[in-house]
Amino acid sequence: MRTLDWMSENKTPQLDDRSPWVIDTRELGRHAGLSRALQRSVPVETPLGVPDVITIEAGSELELDLLLESVVEGVLVSGTAKALAKGTCARCLDPLTEEVEVEVQELFAYPGSATEETTDEDEIPRLIDDRIDLEPIVRDAVVLALPLAPLCTEDCAGLCIECGVKWADLEPGHGHEKIDPRWAALVERFDENAGEKPGPS
């Protein structure tokens, strides 16, 4: 039983070559200085972002434009990831669409390299059988780049706090008369009296 447990704990994880996120780097040959350009559209399977605020929806595409470079310690991945996000304006609550483009840069360490031996897996990802999995680093970069308070326009004025109508749809000079609470009862009484017909004198 202990032997089986040890084998389970030390079993090398496998990457699925069918996944569009998994990249084979064998053509770089672990020769420092070699590089390879990568352009690819990757489908989003689960939404990225904050629901009801802004997300990259499932079924949309992430456009990758990357450069893979063989360096002494591993494969350096750098470039951009781009996608279309949909959400709600934080001020006027209108639906919005925003193109998100983020910079990506990550070193994937070779097994047995000094970097691999001196860092934890959650600090620097590893190559597995000369393959790399781009999904975690791209997803993290994209999610962190999404705005916490998206706006339909930078100068969006939001909603009137009194009537809830968008300021952009209101007439110039729009406002609401405010009555001092101390006079509210008197004004109400005056309005009631104004509607009464005067009796015969």
Side-chain angles (χ1 to χ4, degrees), residues 73 109-121 124 126:
E73 293 296 308
Y110 288 135
S113 66
T115 298
E116 193 266 349
E117 292 178 353
T118 58
T119 58
D120 294 331
E121 286 190 39
I124 294 180
R126 274 63 166 151

Side-chain angles (χ1 to χ4, degrees), residues 10-23:
N10 292 274
K11 184 178 180 180
T12 302
Q14 300 296 313
L15 298 181
D16 186 354
D17 286 330
R18 296 169 298 178
S19 170
W21 294 102
V22 174
I23 309 300

Side-chain angles (χ1 to χ4, degrees), residues 19-171:
S19 170
W21 294 102
V22 174
I23 309 300
D24 190 333
T25 68
R26 284 177 294 181
E27 65 184 75
L28 298 178
R30 297 200 183 189
H31 297 301
L34 293 182
S35 63
R36 168 194 170 191
L38 174 70
Q39 287 84 35
R40 179 174 294 188
S41 293
V42 181
V44 176
E45 295 184 356
T46 57
L48 302 176
V50 181
D52 301 322
V53 178
I54 189 165
T55 59
I56 297 172
E57 299 177 343
S60 57
E61 299 281 330
L62 269 168
E63 302 294 332
L64 306 181
D65 186 2
L66 305 172
L67 180 67
L68 280 58
E69 299 177 86
S70 180
V71 296
V72 174
E73 293 296 308
V75 174
L76 179 65
V77 177
S78 57
T80 60
K82 184 165 56 177
L84 204 61
K86 295 183 179 181
T88 303
C89 178
R91 292 179 185 167
C92 70
L93 307 181
D94 274 0
L96 59 83
T97 300
E98 180 176 333
E99 185 176 79
V100 178
E101 182 172 341
V102 297
E103 296 289 331
V104 176
Q105 186 171 64
E106 189 68 73
L107 173 68
F108 287 79
Y110 288 135
S113 66
T115 298
E116 193 266 349
E117 292 178 353
T118 58
T119 58
D120 294 331
E121 286 190 39
D122 57 356
E123 293 181 278
I124 294 180
R126 274 63 166 151
L127 278 93
I128 301 174
D129 294 330
D130 292 313
R131 292 166 175 79
I132 59 178
D133 182 4
L134 295 173
E135 184 173 12
I137 66 166
V138 172
R139 289 175 64 93
D140 288 351
V142 169
V143 170
L144 289 174
L146 293 173
L148 296 177
L151 299 176
C152 57
T153 61
E154 290 186 4
D155 60 350
C156 176
L159 306 175
C160 171
I161 61 173
E162 295 292 335
C163 61
V165 177
K166 285 177 59 177
W167 280 107
D169 296 337
L170 295 170
E171 296 293 330

Side-chain angles (χ1 to χ4, degrees), residues 192-200:
E192 290 175 357
N193 292 338
E196 297 177 358
K197 292 183 179 180

